[in-house]
């Protein structure tokens, strides 16, 4: 039996500022991800801190949360078999200097912080991250 999995995707402020949303969404659809929910919004600083709470002790936390609150973002619930790992592969390495050709970060990211997109890294983080942005009724069946 095929098991579908869900993951949270964010198109970050740097990529939205560049107008990369359409290209990134096309890439997702071309790679067989279903978009069950999608919205554009702007986080405030405390909402960005809540989302990235797992990184609160890191030296880059303050700068990362300032950046994530600096402009509009697009959040999506993606569904596919093996969605978490497949989306991380499609995004490319966190640091675009190490991202492979053909990945979203290779094309759009400018630095390890302004790295265009986010994706959940495991089942439990995907559950937390999806519930941070979407109520159940906001997702397509
Ligand atoms: P993301 O996949 O959203 O998960 C955590 C984010 O922290 C990461 O992408 C980067 O944007 C950011 N990040 C990770 N490591 C560093 C770093 N060394 N310096 C600055 N930002 C970082």
């Amino acid at each position: 039996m095929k098991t579908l999995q869900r993951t949270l995707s964010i198109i970050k402020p740097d990529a939205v500022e560049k107008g990369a949303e359409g290209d990134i969404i096309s890439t997702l659809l071309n790679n067989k991800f279903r978009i069950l929910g999608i919205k554009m919004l702007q986080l405030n600083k405390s909402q960005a801190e809540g989302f990235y709470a797992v990184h609160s002790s890191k030296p880059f936390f303050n700068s990362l949360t300032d950046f994530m609150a600096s402009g509009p973002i697009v959040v999506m619930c993606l569904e596919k078999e093996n969605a978490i790992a497949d989306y991380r592969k499609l995004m490319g390495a966190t640091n675009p200097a190490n991202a492979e050709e053909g990945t979203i970060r290779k094309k759009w990211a400018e630095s390890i912080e302004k790295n265009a997109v986010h994706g959940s890294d495991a089942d439990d983080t995907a559950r937390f991250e999806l519930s941070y942005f979407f109520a159940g009724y906001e997702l397509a069946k």
Side-chain angles (χ1 to χ4, degrees):
M1 198 178 78
K2 294 179 177 175
T3 312
L4 293 173
Q5 192 177 47
R6 292 177 180 184
T7 191
L8 181 84
S9 162
I10 303 179
I11 304 177
K12 296 186 179 186
D14 59 317
V16 172
E17 196 179 352
K18 290 175 181 139
E21 310 95 294
D23 180 70
I24 293 171
I25 290 166
S26 294
T27 301
L28 294 171
L29 296 174
N30 290 339
N31 282 273
K32 310 285 182 233
F33 288 89
R34 270 188 80 211
I35 299 173
L36 300 187
I38 180 167
K39 54 191 168 188
M40 180 173 258
L41 54 94
Q42 183 161 352
L43 294 171
N44 64 29
K45 175 79 169 168
S46 73
Q47 290 166 337
E49 288 170 346
F51 180 75
Y52 278 119
V54 67
H55 294 301
S56 60
S57 62
K58 306 271 174 62
F60 56 81
F61 183 67
N62 189 46
S63 172
L64 172 65
T65 52
D66 274 350
F67 162 61
M68 289 301 291
S70 69
I73 60 174
V74 177
V75 294
M76 289 174 275
C77 172
L78 304 180
E79 185 179 73
K80 180 183 187 297
E81 274 176 64
N82 209 29
I84 294 173
D86 284 4
Y87 178 50
R88 289 181 71 79
K89 187 156 185 238
L90 188 59
M91 285 193 298
T94 304
N95 185 344
N98 303 324
E100 284 179 34
E101 220 39 75
T103 63
I104 295 169
R105 283 172 170 155
K106 180 75 183 179
K107 184 166 186 184
W108 291 108
E110 54 192 86
S111 68
I112 194 166
E113 179 174 275
K114 294 183 170 144
N115 64 353
V117 282
H118 167 84
S120 312
D121 64 2
D123 254 324
D124 55 343
T125 45
R127 263 192 297 278
F128 165 76
E129 292 180 358
L130 286 166
S131 70
Y132 203 80
F133 288 109
F134 293 102
Y137 70 85
E138 294 180 287
L139 300 177
K141 301 265 188 302

